[in-house]
Amino acid sequence: MFEVRNDEPQYALLSDKETQVRNRYGQNIELTDADSELRHKSLNINGDADIGENPNRYKQHGFYFNADNCIGCHACESACSEKNDVPIHLAYRSVGFVEGGTFPDYQRLNISMACNHCDDPVCLTGCPTRAYTKFAEYGAVLQDPDICFGCGYCTWVCPYNAPQLDPVKGEVSKCNMCVDRLEVNLKPACVAACLGNALDFGVIENIPENRVQAKAEIPGFPTTDITHPNVRFQQTRSTHREMTRTDSMPLKYHRDDNEGKFKPVVDEKMGREKHWNLRKLLTSHESAHVIFTLFTQATVGAFLMLIAGPLVGIAPLAALHSSAVLLPLIIAMVIISTIGLFKLNMHLGKPHRFYRGFNNLRLSPVSREIAGVSLFYTGLLGYAAFALFDNPIMQFIADGFAFIGVLSGAIGLFYMYKLYRIPARPFWNHWQTGSAFLGSMLSFGSLMIAAVGVCALPLAELATQVLLQTLAAIMAVGLALEGLGHIVHARDMQAGANEGAASYYRQVTQYGKPYLLRNVLLGFSMLMATLIAVSGLSSLVLGLILAVSMLATGALGRSLFFVLVIPTTMPGAFFWKNGGFVDHARETGLADAPQHGVAYERHHAFKVNELIQTFKENSLKDMMTHVKWIFGK
């Protein structure tokens, strides 16, 4: 247990006596029944089997922030980091601010924010490794870094930027509500350290002494609809109608008098000039996802056309089963799919723990995507092993693997789409994500088959020309579907009152020239594919031009998809919470100085060394233990 000092000040002690039955969302504040066996379990903090004597131990607790009192001293950050030994480039709790007005009527509103230990924690349902648990004790949402394999999906889905992905260790960690202090009736370290008495803590919906409000939102705080966070606010001082962020995010907050709430709107900080920023676009941290999604969609599309095409009446695709085409096509699909899976796995913070991605099939779309794509890869390999044998038994086995591949490929792509429908990332949370993925599957799957067909079949034959025309028609359909989605998506994002509108603003300014180039190339590719499909005019030169245009379109479009997204996070202030500072630090070399709070994403070299060392020591043993645990369950 946490050691309590003899001279512990009164303000550091929990003091809730009476509590309400339900919170504002209709959830029970009491998290267990009186006779629940959970009431007799220890949290085993530091190996201590004792159970805390807090009378409200099984009630939902939460933070209380008085914006009127916060002076922006960052003492809460320091106390949290010191107690939890948080690396300098991370922060479980951070203080950001918004400001409004001009001198002499300038106003600054500070916001101290950590994990809100939500009623509906999306980090828990999204995590593929089941590293998160919501405990009946205090309603704390706790995360175990030792289970985490560093995919970072929880950092995507959380609206409040609470989970912190350490790029050096390759694992996520976050605020643990200081449950070791709660067990001995002490408030969390950040609350006890607050100089201005702005932070408080207790059973949720209880208003602390000398406070008059318990609001669920203040300017800059994301919507509560996503997770029902357990944090309450006081802000009695009136604010200006418009409050701006001081970080690099092109957002500000405008008060809607009808609803009495501040809503995010675009802040045109970067003007309207269009820029290239190609290096930043094409070498982002999410480049591995760009490769994985495009390669997987192309491979699944090609496999579906190979297997299902003749079955649904597309006769020209039957030519793909000739020995001249089948072998090189299978080799191409296996190679491209392998590269995509390898890039995704090495993108993990701890790639040697890849097998933990199947742990949360019941809840996580990431686990389901991993399962679907892995099973597709198994079906593809099985089909590759048996399809070339001219033997009825072998063909029967190959057909079985083909069925597995087709079904699991469709499932994998569906959950690939579902995992990006994230309310905390409005730019992704649109049906256009699905149309883009489906369009890429059709267009790049056709392109892969056409490239193999051109190399393996005689171009002069009529059957080859008909096949290429058919594939060009499928390409045109896929490109048209993607283009239609882009048009509707741009319209909806531009008209939205959320972070999606800010993403659109960045799309037409910071990345305006690549965005225009992508659109031109997309239209050009669609026209070229349509021309080949309708007229039958095809040649190696035209095919090469079309292939280059489509590849450039795919690379630019998918990179924009990942780079442009703006999450519904709290306003930042300094260093690690300000993307503009991070970019500046990397450009000027300040990032090499750890005291500035920015660490390069050096975990790639770290991962390789750790991967080798772990497999040498105990990774295989760990994997076998994990397999036994799965089957035991």
Side-chain angles (χ1 to χ4, degrees):
M1 291 293 182
F2 191 85
E3 185 176 349
V4 182
R5 300 179 302 176
N6 294 329
D7 59 343
E8 198 73 53
Q10 191 66 30
Y11 61 77
L13 302 176
L14 291 170
S15 57
D16 294 295
K17 295 179 181 178
E18 297 181 0
T19 63
Q20 299 184 39
V21 176
R22 295 182 180 272
N23 65 15
R24 67 188 58 214
Y25 309 116
Q27 301 288 332
N28 287 331
I29 292 178
E30 185 76 44
L31 299 176
T32 64
D33 297 326
D35 57 350
S36 172
E37 62 179 16
L38 292 175
R39 289 179 174 264
H40 307 288
K41 289 188 176 181
S42 170
L43 290 174
N44 290 311
I45 298 170
N46 296 325
D48 193 327
D50 288 343
I51 297 176
E53 298 179 357
N54 186 336
N56 296 318
R57 189 172 190 255
Y58 302 100
K59 291 182 171 65
Q60 178 67 60
H61 285 59
F63 290 100
Y64 184 94
F65 178 69
N66 183 358
D68 298 333
N69 283 25
C70 182
I71 61 175
C73 66
H74 300 267
C76 53
E77 289 183 15
S78 299
C80 174
S81 296
E82 181 179 6
K83 177 187 178 297
N84 296 294
D85 196 22
V86 181
I88 195 169
H89 52 277
L90 302 180
Y92 294 170
R93 175 170 288 280
S94 62
V95 178
F97 55 89
V98 292
E99 60 185 9
T102 57
F103 179 83
D105 189 20
Y106 165 81
Q107 183 182 35
R108 171 169 158 174
L109 182 67
N110 299 308
I111 309 172
S112 176
M113 187 56 52
C115 177
N116 296 313
H117 302 276
C118 308
D119 287 346
D120 301 313
V122 288
C123 54
L124 184 152
T125 55
C127 176
T129 67
R130 286 172 54 186
Y132 287 84
T133 305
K134 184 170 178 66
F135 283 81
E137 292 83 359
Y138 313 103
V141 178
L142 305 184
Q143 189 266 357
D144 188 347
D146 291 335
I147 297 176
C148 172
F149 66 179
C151 71
Y153 188 67
C154 56
T155 68
W156 286 5
V157 298
C158 176
Y160 314 110
N161 198 30
Q164 302 285 297
L165 177 60
D166 190 334
V168 178
K169 290 184 177 181
E171 63 187 24
V172 170
S173 55
K174 72 171 194 70
C175 161
N176 56 25
M177 203 190 259
C178 286
V179 289
D180 53 344
R181 291 176 59 92
L182 302 184
E183 287 284 76
V184 292
N185 292 306
L186 291 177
K187 295 176 182 177
C190 56
V191 176
C194 180
L195 300 181
N197 195 21
L199 272 178
D200 213 324
F201 186 85
V203 178
I204 201 65
E205 304 300 357
N206 280 6
I207 300 179
E209 187 178 359
N210 299 323
R211 300 290 181 260
V212 295
Q213 289 181 339
K215 301 194 296 184
E217 297 178 358
I218 59 174
F221 188 73
T223 177
T224 62
D225 298 339
I226 302 173
T227 65
H228 293 168
N230 286 299
V231 62
R232 301 293 181 263
F233 302 100
Q234 173 166 315
Q235 181 214 338
T236 58
R237 290 182 297 174
S238 62
T239 59
H240 292 277
R241 293 181 59 83
E242 193 168 87
M243 303 295 287
T244 61
R245 295 174 67 124
T246 58
D247 57 13
S248 61
M249 200 75 76
L251 279 172
K252 56 187 177 182
Y253 302 95
H254 188 79
R255 187 171 64 227
D256 186 335
D257 290 333
N258 293 327
E259 297 185 20
K261 297 180 179 180
F262 280 81
K263 294 185 176 181
V265 294
V266 175
D267 186 359
E268 297 187 356
K269 296 178 179 179
M270 297 174 284
R272 301 298 299 182
E273 185 179 353
K274 293 177 172 59
H275 301 276
W276 280 105
N277 286 315
L278 274 178
R279 182 177 180 182
K280 184 185 295 186
L281 174 65
L282 298 177
T283 60
S284 73
H285 178 63
E286 307 302 341
S287 295
H289 286 288
V290 173
I291 294 172
F292 167 71
T293 54
L294 286 175
F295 281 27
T296 301
Q297 288 157 17
T299 309
V300 172
F303 192 75
L304 287 175
M305 292 177 212
L306 172 67
I307 303 301
L311 299 178
V312 297
I314 307 178
L317 295 182
L320 300 178
H321 290 269
S322 67
S323 58
V325 180
L326 188 59
L327 178 59
L329 181 57
I330 288 176
I331 292 175
M333 286 191 292
V334 170
I335 291 175
I336 292 175
S337 186
T338 301
I339 293 173
L341 286 170
F342 176 78
K343 289 293 293 183
L344 179 70
N345 190 63
M346 293 308 295
H347 182 69
L348 298 175
K350 296 185 180 298
H352 57 284
R353 294 179 177 174
F354 67 91
Y355 52 89
R356 296 184 179 180
F358 304 100
N359 280 5
N360 199 8
L361 289 171
R362 188 171 68 89
L363 296 174
S364 174
V366 181
S367 281
R368 295 173 181 177
E369 180 218 32
I370 293 172
V373 173
S374 299
L375 198 56
F376 163 76
Y377 188 66
T378 303
L380 175 61
L381 292 179
Y383 183 79
F386 295 98
L388 298 175
F389 290 96
D390 188 14
N391 180 292
I393 297 177
M394 296 296 188
Q395 287 298 317
F396 178 78
I397 297 174
D399 290 343
F401 277 110
F403 175 78
I404 292 172
V406 169
L407 181 62
S408 58
I411 292 173
L413 288 194
F414 174 74
Y415 283 108
M416 184 182 292
Y417 156 70
K418 288 291 288 183
L419 73 86
Y420 288 101
R421 290 302 301 266
I422 301 173
R425 298 192 168 216
F427 189 72
W428 289 349
N429 192 29
H430 191 277
W431 62 261
Q432 177 266 344
T433 298
S435 66
F437 286 4
L438 180 58
S440 295
M441 184 194 77
L442 295 174
S443 59
F444 284 103
S446 302
L447 180 62
M448 185 191 306
I449 296 175
V452 173
V454 166
C455 297
L457 295 172
L459 290 178
E461 289 191 3
L462 179 61
T464 303
Q465 294 294 323
V466 173
L467 173 63
L468 294 178
Q469 279 185 265
T470 303
L471 292 173
I474 297 174
M475 287 183 209
V477 171
L479 292 168
L481 180 62
E482 187 172 356
L484 175 63
H486 286 318
I487 292 172
V488 178
H489 181 258
R491 182 201 66 190
D492 293 346
M493 292 299 105
Q494 189 175 12
N498 54 33
E499 287 74 10
S503 293
Y504 177 81
Y505 167 70
R506 290 182 64 202
Q507 182 172 249
V508 298
T509 55
Q510 186 177 1
Y511 298 99
K513 292 182 178 179
Y515 172 62
L516 287 177
L517 179 60
R518 191 280 310 273
N519 293 342
V520 171
L521 290 176
L522 179 60
F524 174 77
S525 300
M526 184 173 62
L527 290 176
M528 283 282 292
T530 304
L531 176 65
I532 294 173
V534 173
S535 67
L537 179 63
S538 61
S539 67
L540 289 176
V541 175
L542 288 178
L544 184 61
I545 292 173
L546 176 59
V548 171
S549 177
M550 286 181 58
L551 291 173
T553 301
L556 290 173
R558 195 55 51 85
S559 296
L560 286 168
F561 175 81
F562 284 101
V563 169
L564 289 172
V565 65
I566 294 177
T568 59
T569 56
M570 297 296 298
F574 312 109
F575 304 157
W576 52 86
K577 296 295 183 180
N578 187 340
F581 174 79
V582 173
D583 292 339
H584 168 73
R586 287 174 175 163
E587 292 170 0
T588 60
L590 286 174
D592 292 320
Q595 65 268 27
H596 290 288
V598 177
Y600 271 114
E601 291 158 352
R602 295 192 180 99
H603 65 291
H604 293 293
F606 175 85
K607 284 191 296 183
V608 173
N609 293 332
E610 185 188 29
L611 181 63
I612 295 172
Q613 186 63 27
T614 305
F615 269 109
K616 283 182 179 178
E617 294 176 357
N618 59 6
S619 188
L620 291 177
K621 180 180 177 181
D622 179 31
M623 193 182 301
M624 291 305 299
T625 302
H626 186 79
V627 171
K628 291 178 181 177
W629 178 84
I630 291 175
F631 284 102
K633 292 293 182 181

